[in-house]
Coordinates of all heavy atoms in Angstrom, one line a residue:
M258 N 91.0 96.5 113.3 CA 91.0 95.1 113.6 C 90.0 94.8 114.6 O 89.8 95.5 115.5 CB 92.4 94.9 114.3 CG 92.8 93.5 114.7 SD 94.3 93.3 115.5 CE 95.4 93.7 114.4
N259 N 89.2 93.9 114.3 CA 88.1 93.5 115.2 C 88.4 92.1 115.9 O 88.8 91.1 115.2 CB 86.8 93.3 114.4 CG 86.3 94.5 113.7 OD1 86.4 95.6 114.4 ND2 85.6 94.5 112.7
L260 N 88.2 92.2 117.2 CA 88.5 91.0 118.0 C 87.3 90.6 118.7 O 86.5 91.6 119.2 CB 89.7 91.2 119.0 CG 91.0 91.6 118.3 CD1 92.0 91.8 119.5 CD2 91.6 90.4 117.6
V261 N 87.1 89.3 118.9 CA 86.0 88.9 119.7 C 86.6 88.4 121.0 O 87.4 87.5 121.0 CB 85.2 87.9 118.9 CG1 84.0 87.2 119.8 CG2 84.7 88.4 117.7
K262 N 85.9 88.8 122.2 CA 86.4 88.4 123.4 C 85.7 87.0 123.8 O 84.5 86.9 123.8 CB 86.1 89.3 124.5 CG 86.5 89.0 125.9 CD 86.0 90.1 126.9 CE 86.5 89.7 128.2 NZ 86.0 90.6 129.2
P263 N 86.4 86.0 123.9 CA 85.9 84.7 124.3 C 85.2 84.8 125.7 O 85.8 85.5 126.5 CB 87.1 83.6 124.2 CG 88.1 84.4 123.8 CD 87.9 85.7 123.7
E264 N 84.1 84.1 125.9 CA 83.5 84.0 127.2 C 84.2 83.1 128.1 O 84.2 83.4 129.2 CB 82.0 83.6 127.0 CG 81.1 84.5 126.1 CD 81.1 85.8 126.7 OE1 81.0 86.1 127.9 OE2 81.2 86.9 125.7
D265 N 84.6 82.0 127.6 CA 85.4 81.1 128.5 C 87.0 81.3 128.4 O 87.7 81.2 127.5 CB 85.3 79.7 127.9 CG 85.8 78.6 128.8 OD1 86.4 78.9 129.8 OD2 85.7 77.5 128.3
P266 N 87.5 81.7 129.5 CA 88.9 82.1 129.7 C 89.8 80.9 129.3 O 91.0 81.1 128.9 CB 89.2 82.5 131.1 CG 87.9 82.8 131.7 CD 86.9 82.1 130.9
D267 N 89.2 79.7 129.4 CA 90.2 78.5 129.0 C 90.5 78.6 127.4 O 91.3 77.8 127.0 CB 89.5 77.2 129.2 CG 89.5 77.0 130.7 OD1 90.4 77.5 131.4 OD2 88.6 76.3 131.3
T268 N 89.6 79.3 126.7 CA 89.9 79.4 125.2 C 90.9 80.5 124.8 O 91.4 80.6 123.7 CB 88.7 79.7 124.5 OG1 88.1 81.0 124.9 CG2 87.5 78.7 124.6
Y269 N 91.3 81.3 125.7 CA 92.4 82.3 125.5 C 93.7 81.6 125.1 O 94.0 80.5 125.7 CB 92.6 83.2 126.7 CG 91.4 84.0 127.1 CD1 91.6 84.8 128.4 CD2 90.4 84.3 126.4 CE1 90.5 85.6 128.8 CE2 89.4 85.1 126.7 CZ 89.4 85.7 127.9 OH 88.4 86.6 128.3
G270 N 94.5 82.3 124.3 CA 95.8 81.9 124.1 C 96.7 82.2 125.3 O 96.2 82.9 126.3
E271 N 97.9 81.8 125.4 CA 98.8 82.2 126.5 C 98.9 83.6 126.8 O 98.8 84.2 127.8 CB 100.2 81.6 126.3 CG 101.1 81.7 127.5 CD 100.7 81.2 128.8 OE1 100.0 80.0 128.6 OE2 101.1 81.5 129.8
L272 N 99.1 84.4 125.7 CA 99.4 85.9 125.8 C 98.0 86.4 126.4 O 98.1 87.3 127.3 CB 99.7 86.5 124.5 CG 99.7 88.1 124.5 CD1 100.7 88.6 125.5 CD2 99.9 88.6 123.1
A273 N 97.0 86.2 125.7 CA 95.7 86.7 126.2 C 95.3 86.3 127.8 O 94.9 87.2 128.5 CB 94.5 86.2 125.4
R274 N 95.6 85.1 128.0 CA 95.4 84.7 129.5 C 96.3 85.6 130.4 O 95.8 85.9 131.4 CB 95.7 83.1 129.6 CG 95.3 82.6 131.0 CD 95.6 81.1 131.1 NE 95.0 80.3 129.9 CZ 95.6 79.8 129.0 NH1 96.8 79.6 128.9 NH2 94.8 79.0 128.1
R275 N 97.6 85.7 130.2 CA 98.3 86.5 130.9 C 97.9 88.0 131.1 O 98.0 88.6 132.1 CB 99.8 86.6 130.4 CG 100.5 85.2 130.5 CD 102.0 85.4 130.0 NE 102.7 84.0 130.0 CZ 103.9 83.9 130.1 NH1 104.7 84.9 130.0 NH2 104.4 82.7 130.3
L276 N 97.5 88.6 129.9 CA 96.9 89.9 129.9 C 95.8 90.0 130.9 O 95.4 90.9 131.6 CB 96.8 90.4 128.6 CG 97.9 90.7 127.7 CD1 97.5 91.0 126.3 CD2 98.8 91.8 128.2
H277 N 94.8 88.9 130.7 CA 93.5 88.9 131.3 C 93.7 88.9 132.8 O 93.0 89.5 133.5 CB 92.7 87.7 130.9 CG 91.4 87.5 131.5 ND1 91.2 86.7 132.6 CD2 90.1 88.0 131.2 CE1 90.0 86.8 132.9 NE2 89.3 87.6 132.2
D278 N 94.8 88.1 133.2 CA 94.9 87.8 134.7 C 95.7 88.9 135.4 O 96.0 88.9 136.6 CB 95.6 86.5 134.9 CG 94.7 85.3 134.5 OD1 93.5 85.6 134.4 OD2 95.3 84.2 134.3
D279 N 96.3 89.9 134.6 CA 97.1 90.9 135.1 C 96.4 92.4 135.2 O 96.3 93.1 134.5 CB 98.3 91.1 134.2 CG 99.3 92.2 134.7 OD1 99.6 92.3 135.9 OD2 99.9 92.8 133.8
A280 N 95.9 92.4 136.6 CA 95.2 93.6 136.9 C 96.0 95.0 136.8 O 95.5 96.1 136.6 CB 94.5 93.6 138.2
S281 N 97.4 94.8 137.1 CA 98.2 96.0 137.1 C 98.8 96.4 135.8 O 99.5 97.5 135.7 CB 99.3 95.7 138.1 OG 100.2 94.8 137.6
D282 N 98.6 95.5 134.7 CA 99.1 95.8 133.4 C 100.6 95.7 133.2 O 101.1 96.3 132.4 CB 98.5 97.1 132.8 CG 97.1 97.2 132.5 OD1 96.5 96.0 132.4 OD2 96.6 98.3 132.4
S283 N 101.2 95.0 134.2 CA 102.6 94.9 134.1 C 103.1 94.0 133.1 O 104.1 94.2 132.4 CB 103.2 94.4 135.5 OG 102.6 93.2 135.9
V284 N 102.2 93.1 132.9 CA 102.6 92.1 131.6 C 102.5 92.9 130.3 O 103.4 92.7 129.6 CB 101.5 90.9 131.5 CG1 101.8 90.1 130.4 CG2 101.8 90.1 132.8
L285 N 101.6 93.7 130.0 CA 101.4 94.5 128.9 C 102.6 95.4 128.8 O 103.3 95.5 127.7 CB 100.1 95.4 129.1 CG 99.9 96.5 128.0 CD1 99.6 95.7 126.6 CD2 98.8 97.3 128.2
T286 N 103.0 96.1 129.9 CA 104.1 96.9 130.0 C 105.3 96.2 129.6 O 106.3 96.6 128.9 CB 104.3 97.6 131.4 OG1 103.1 98.3 131.6 CG2 105.5 98.6 131.4
E287 N 105.5 95.0 130.2 CA 106.8 94.2 129.8 C 106.9 93.7 128.4 O 108.0 93.8 127.8 CB 106.7 93.0 130.8 CG 108.1 92.1 130.6 CD 107.9 90.9 131.6 OE1 107.3 90.9 132.7 OE2 108.7 90.0 131.3
Y288 N 105.7 93.3 127.8 CA 105.8 92.7 126.6 C 105.9 93.9 125.6 O 106.7 93.9 124.7 CB 104.4 92.0 126.1 CG 104.5 90.8 126.4 CD1 103.9 90.2 127.5 CD2 104.8 89.7 125.6 CE1 103.8 88.9 127.9 CE2 104.8 88.4 125.7 CZ 104.2 88.0 127.0 OH 104.3 86.6 127.3
R289 N 105.2 95.1 125.9 CA 105.3 96.5 125.0 C 106.9 96.9 125.0 O 107.5 97.1 124.0 CB 104.5 97.4 125.4 CG 104.5 98.6 124.4 CD 103.8 99.8 124.8 NE 102.3 99.5 124.9 CZ 101.5 99.8 125.9 NH1 102.0 100.5 127.0 NH2 100.2 99.6 125.8
S290 N 107.4 96.9 126.1 CA 108.8 97.3 126.3 C 109.8 96.4 125.6 O 110.7 96.9 124.9 CB 109.3 97.4 127.9 OG 110.6 97.6 128.0
C291 N 109.5 95.0 125.6 CA 110.3 94.2 124.8 C 110.3 94.4 123.4 O 111.4 94.6 122.6 CB 110.0 92.9 125.2 SG 111.1 91.5 124.3
F292 N 109.1 94.5 122.9 CA 109.0 94.8 121.5 C 109.5 96.1 121.0 O 110.0 96.2 120.0 CB 107.4 94.8 121.0 CG 107.0 93.3 121.0 CD1 105.7 93.0 121.8 CD2 107.5 92.2 120.4 CE1 105.2 91.7 121.7 CE2 107.1 91.0 120.4 CZ 105.9 90.7 121.1
E293 N 109.2 97.2 121.8 CA 109.8 98.6 121.5 C 111.3 98.5 121.5 O 111.9 99.1 120.5 CB 109.2 99.5 122.6 CG 107.9 99.8 122.3 CD 107.3 100.8 123.4 OE1 107.9 101.0 124.5 OE2 106.2 101.3 123.2
Q294 N 111.9 97.7 122.4 CA 113.4 97.7 122.4 C 113.9 97.0 121.1 O 114.8 97.6 120.5 CB 114.0 97.0 123.8 CG 115.5 97.0 123.7 CD 115.9 96.3 125.1 OE1 115.1 95.9 125.8 NE2 117.2 96.3 125.3
A295 N 113.2 95.9 120.8 CA 113.8 95.2 119.6 C 113.5 96.2 118.4 O 114.4 96.2 117.6 CB 112.9 93.9 119.4
R296 N 112.4 96.9 118.2 CA 112.1 97.7 117.1 C 113.0 98.8 117.1 O 113.7 99.0 116.0 CB 110.7 98.2 117.2 CG 110.3 99.2 116.2 CD 109.2 100.2 116.6 NE 109.6 101.0 117.6 CZ 108.6 101.5 118.6 NH1 107.3 101.2 118.2 NH2 108.9 102.1 119.6
D297 N 113.4 99.5 118.1 CA 114.4 100.6 118.4 C 115.8 100.2 117.9 O 116.4 100.8 117.2 CB 114.3 101.2 119.6 CG 113.1 101.9 120.0 OD1 112.2 102.0 119.1 OD2 112.9 102.2 121.1
N298 N 116.1 98.9 118.3 CA 117.5 98.4 118.0 C 117.5 98.2 116.4 O 118.6 98.4 115.8 CB 117.8 97.1 118.8 CG 118.1 97.3 120.1 OD1 118.4 98.4 120.5 ND2 117.9 96.4 121.0
A299 N 116.5 97.5 115.7 CA 116.4 97.4 114.5 C 116.5 98.7 113.7 O 117.2 98.8 112.6 CB 115.1 96.5 114.1
R300 N 115.6 99.6 114.0 CA 115.7 100.9 113.3 C 117.0 101.6 113.4 O 117.6 102.2 112.5 CB 114.5 101.8 114.0 CG 113.2 101.5 113.5 CD 112.2 102.4 114.1 NE 110.8 101.9 113.7 CZ 109.7 102.5 114.2 NH1 109.9 103.4 115.1 NH2 108.5 102.1 113.8
Q301 N 117.7 101.4 114.6 CA 119.1 102.0 114.7 C 120.0 101.3 113.7 O 120.8 102.0 113.1 CB 119.6 101.9 116.2 CG 120.8 102.7 116.4 CD 121.1 102.6 117.9 OE1 120.6 101.8 118.6 NE2 122.0 103.5 118.3
R302 N 119.9 100.0 113.7 CA 120.7 99.3 112.8 C 120.6 99.6 111.3 O 121.5 99.6 110.5 CB 120.6 97.7 113.0 CG 121.0 97.3 114.3 CD 122.1 96.3 114.5 NE 122.9 96.1 113.3 CZ 123.2 94.8 112.8 NH1 122.4 93.8 113.2 NH2 124.0 94.8 111.9
L303 N 119.4 100.1 111.0 CA 119.1 100.6 109.6 C 120.0 101.7 109.2 O 120.1 101.8 107.9 CB 117.7 100.8 109.4 CG 116.7 99.6 109.5 CD1 115.2 100.0 109.5 CD2 117.0 98.5 108.4
H304 N 120.5 102.4 110.1 CA 121.3 103.6 109.7 C 122.8 103.2 109.6 O 123.8 104.0 109.4 CB 121.2 104.7 110.9 CG 119.8 105.3 110.8 ND1 119.2 106.1 110.0 CD2 118.7 105.0 111.8 CE1 118.0 106.3 110.1 NE2 117.7 105.8 111.3
E305 N 123.2 102.0 109.9 CA 124.5 101.5 109.8 C 124.7 100.8 108.3 O 123.8 100.4 107.6 CB 124.7 100.5 110.7 CG 124.7 100.8 112.2 CD 124.6 99.6 113.1 OE1 125.0 98.4 112.6 OE2 124.5 99.8 114.4
P306 N 125.9 101.0 107.8 CA 126.1 100.3 106.6 C 126.1 98.7 106.8 O 126.8 98.1 107.6 CB 127.7 100.6 106.3 CG 128.4 101.1 107.6 CD 127.2 101.5 108.5
L307 N 125.0 98.1 106.1 CA 124.7 96.7 106.3 C 124.8 96.0 104.9 O 124.3 96.8 103.8 CB 123.5 96.4 107.0 CG 123.3 97.0 108.3 CD1 121.7 96.9 108.7 CD2 124.1 96.2 109.3
P308 N 125.0 94.8 104.9 CA 124.8 94.0 103.4 C 123.2 94.0 103.3 O 122.5 94.3 104.2 CB 125.3 92.7 103.8 CG 126.1 92.8 105.1 CD 125.8 93.9 105.7
E309 N 122.9 93.9 102.1 CA 121.6 94.2 101.6 C 120.6 93.1 102.5 O 119.5 93.5 102.8 CB 121.4 93.9 100.2 CG 120.0 94.1 99.7 CD 119.8 94.0 98.1 OE1 120.9 94.2 97.4 OE2 118.6 93.8 97.7
E310 N 121.0 91.9 102.6 CA 120.2 90.9 103.2 C 120.0 91.3 104.7 O 118.9 91.1 105.2 CB 120.9 89.5 103.1 CG 120.1 88.5 103.7 CD 120.6 87.0 103.5 OE1 121.2 86.9 102.4 OE2 120.5 86.1 104.4
E311 N 121.1 91.7 105.4 CA 121.0 92.2 106.7 C 120.0 93.3 106.9 O 119.2 93.5 107.8 CB 122.4 92.4 107.3 CG 122.3 92.8 108.9 CD 121.7 91.9 109.8 OE1 121.8 90.6 109.5 OE2 121.4 92.1 111.0
F312 N 120.1 94.3 105.9 CA 119.3 95.4 105.9 C 117.9 95.0 105.8 O 117.0 95.5 106.5 CB 119.7 96.4 104.7 CG 118.8 97.7 104.7 CD1 119.3 98.7 105.6 CD2 117.7 97.8 103.9 CE1 118.6 99.9 105.5 CE2 117.0 99.0 103.8 CZ 117.5 100.0 104.7
R313 N 117.4 94.1 104.9 CA 116.1 93.6 104.7 C 115.6 92.9 106.1 O 114.6 93.1 106.5 CB 115.9 92.6 103.6 CG 116.1 93.5 102.1 CD 115.5 92.5 101.0 NE 116.2 91.2 101.0 CZ 117.2 90.9 100.3 NH1 117.7 91.9 99.6 NH2 117.6 89.6 100.2
T314 N 116.6 92.2 106.6 CA 116.2 91.5 108.0 C 115.8 92.6 109.1 O 114.9 92.5 109.8 CB 117.4 90.7 108.3 OG1 117.7 89.6 107.5 CG2 117.1 89.9 109.7
Q315 N 116.7 93.5 109.0 CA 116.3 94.6 110.1 C 115.1 95.4 109.7 O 114.3 95.7 110.7 CB 117.6 95.6 110.3 CG 118.8 94.9 110.8 CD 118.6 94.3 112.1 OE1 117.9 94.8 113.0 NE2 119.1 93.1 112.3
Q316 N 114.8 95.6 108.5 CA 113.5 96.3 108.1 C 112.3 95.3 108.6 O 111.3 95.8 109.0 CB 113.4 96.5 106.6 CG 114.0 97.8 106.1 CD 113.8 97.7 104.6 OE1 114.0 96.9 103.9 NE2 113.6 99.1 104.1
A317 N 112.5 94.0 108.3 CA 111.5 93.0 108.6 C 111.3 93.1 110.1 O 110.1 93.0 110.6 CB 111.7 91.7 108.0
L318 N 112.4 93.1 110.9 CA 112.3 93.0 112.3 C 111.5 94.3 112.8 O 110.6 94.1 113.7 CB 113.6 92.9 112.9 CG 113.6 92.9 114.5 CD1 112.8 91.6 114.9 CD2 115.1 92.8 115.0
A319 N 111.9 95.4 112.3 CA 111.1 96.7 112.8 C 109.7 96.7 112.4 O 108.9 97.1 113.3 CB 111.9 97.9 112.1
Q320 N 109.3 96.2 111.2 CA 107.8 96.1 110.9 C 107.3 95.1 111.7 O 106.1 95.3 112.1 CB 107.8 95.8 109.4 CG 108.2 96.9 108.5 CD 108.4 96.5 107.0 OE1 108.2 95.2 106.7 NE2 108.4 97.4 106.1
S321 N 107.8 93.9 111.9 CA 107.2 93.0 112.7 C 106.9 93.2 114.1 O 105.9 93.0 114.7 CB 107.8 91.6 112.5 OG 109.1 91.7 113.1
T322 N 107.8 94.0 114.7 CA 107.7 94.5 116.1 C 106.6 95.5 116.2 O 105.8 95.5 117.1 CB 109.1 95.0 116.7 OG1 109.5 95.9 115.9 CG2 110.0 93.9 116.8
D323 N 106.5 96.4 115.1 CA 105.3 97.3 115.2 C 104.1 96.6 115.2 O 103.2 97.1 115.9 CB 105.4 98.2 114.0 CG 106.4 99.5 114.1 OD1 106.6 99.8 115.4 OD2 106.9 100.0 113.1
L324 N 104.0 95.6 114.3 CA 102.7 94.8 114.2 C 102.4 94.0 115.5 O 101.3 93.9 115.9 CB 102.9 93.8 113.1 CG 102.8 94.4 111.8 CD1 103.0 93.4 110.6 CD2 101.4 95.3 111.4
S325 N 103.4 93.5 116.1 CA 103.3 92.8 117.4 C 102.7 93.7 118.5 O 102.0 93.3 119.3 CB 104.7 92.3 117.9 OG 105.1 91.3 116.9
I326 N 103.2 94.9 118.6 CA 102.8 95.9 119.4 C 101.3 96.2 119.2 O 100.4 96.3 120.2 CB 103.6 97.2 119.5 CG1 105.0 97.0 120.0 CG2 102.9 98.3 120.2 CD1 106.0 98.1 119.8
E327 N 100.9 96.3 117.9 CA 99.5 96.6 117.5 C 98.7 95.5 118.0 O 97.6 95.8 118.6 CB 99.4 96.9 116.1 CG 98.1 97.2 115.6 CD 98.0 97.3 114.0 OE1 99.0 97.7 113.5 OE2 96.9 97.2 113.4
V328 N 99.0 94.2 117.7 CA 98.3 93.1 118.2 C 98.2 93.0 119.7 O 97.1 92.9 120.2 CB 99.1 91.8 117.6 CG1 98.2 90.6 118.3 CG2 98.7 91.8 116.1
L329 N 99.2 93.3 120.4 CA 99.3 93.3 121.9 C 98.2 94.2 122.4 O 97.5 93.9 123.4 CB 100.8 93.7 122.4 CG 101.0 93.7 123.9 CD1 100.7 92.4 124.5 CD2 102.3 94.3 124.1
E330 N 98.3 95.4 122.0 CA 97.4 96.5 122.4 C 96.0 96.1 122.1 O 95.1 96.4 122.9 CB 97.8 97.8 121.8 CG 99.2 98.3 122.4 CD 99.7 99.6 121.9 OE1 99.2 100.0 120.8 OE2 100.6 100.2 122.6
A331 N 95.6 95.6 120.8 CA 94.3 95.2 120.4 C 93.8 94.1 121.3 O 92.6 94.2 121.8 CB 94.3 94.8 118.9
V332 N 94.6 93.2 121.7 CA 94.2 92.0 122.5 C 93.9 92.6 124.0 O 92.8 92.3 124.5 CB 95.2 90.8 122.6 CG1 95.0 89.9 123.8 CG2 95.3 90.2 121.3
H333 N 94.7 93.4 124.4 CA 94.6 94.0 125.7 C 93.3 94.9 125.8 O 92.5 94.7 126.7 CB 95.8 94.9 126.0 CG 95.7 95.5 127.5 ND1 95.2 96.8 127.5 CD2 95.9 95.0 128.7 CE1 95.2 97.1 128.8 NE2 95.6 96.0 129.5
A334 N 93.0 95.6 124.7 CA 91.8 96.6 124.7 C 90.7 95.6 124.6 O 89.7 95.9 125.3 CB 91.9 97.5 123.5
S335 N 90.7 94.6 123.9 CA 89.5 93.7 123.8 C 89.2 92.9 125.1 O 88.0 92.9 125.5 CB 89.8 92.7 122.7 OG 88.8 91.6 122.6
L336 N 90.1 92.6 125.8 CA 90.0 92.0 127.1 C 89.4 92.8 128.1 O 88.6 92.6 129.1 CB 91.3 91.4 127.7 CG 91.9 90.2 126.8 CD1 93.2 89.9 127.3 CD2 90.9 88.9 126.8
R337 N 89.8 94.2 128.0 CA 89.4 95.3 129.0 C 88.0 95.8 128.6 O 87.6 96.7 129.2 CB 90.4 96.3 129.1 CG 91.8 95.8 129.6 CD 91.6 95.5 131.2 NE 92.9 95.2 131.7 CZ 93.4 93.9 132.0 NH1 92.5 93.0 131.9 NH2 94.4 93.8 132.6
G338 N 87.5 95.5 127.3 CA 86.2 95.9 126.9 C 86.4 97.4 126.4 O 85.4 98.1 126.3
C339 N 87.5 97.9 126.0 CA 87.7 99.3 125.4 C 87.2 99.3 124.1 O 87.4 98.4 123.3 CB 89.2 99.7 125.5 SG 89.9 99.7 127.3

């Protein structure tokens, strides 16, 4: 995934702005923790007997939270110049 770091902080979206302004990385940690908890809960539910539609919903939630974590980390790395 290739990201281009905008030169003007006013062009950042809300997430990027928060990550950019957070020197301690507490925002990154908070967002990652939220996504990981949602992913783990969804994965745990996949081991329960669920109706097919609910099973697909939990699969989608687990996949989307993995992608959200990936995007979060890519935006953070781009802002930090990594």
Side-chain angles (χ1 to χ4, degrees):
M258 181 182 301
N259 293 329
L260 296 175
V261 176
K262 180 180 174 182
E264 296 300 321
D265 181 4
D267 290 336
T268 62
Y269 293 170
E271 182 65 24
L272 173 62
R274 189 175 303 113
R275 287 180 183 200
L276 292 171
H277 179 265
D278 294 342
D279 182 33
S281 69
D282 290 341
S283 63
V284 171
L285 174 67
T286 301
E287 183 179 338
Y288 274 95
R289 186 186 292 135
S290 175
C291 179
F292 288 130
E293 287 173 345
Q294 183 178 5
R296 179 199 59 207
D297 293 346
N298 288 343
R300 286 181 179 168
Q301 187 174 21
R302 297 244 9 240
L303 291 173
H304 297 286
E305 299 173 4
L307 298 170
E309 185 176 338
E310 186 174 325
E311 180 65 19
F312 183 83
R313 286 195 311 262
T314 299
Q315 295 304 316
Q316 275 183 320
L318 181 58
Q320 291 171 346
S321 65
T322 53
D323 277 338
L324 292 172
S325 296
I326 292 167
E327 183 179 335
V328 168
L329 177 67
E330 291 174 348
V332 169
H333 181 261
S335 175
L336 292 170
R337 298 291 187 248
C339 299

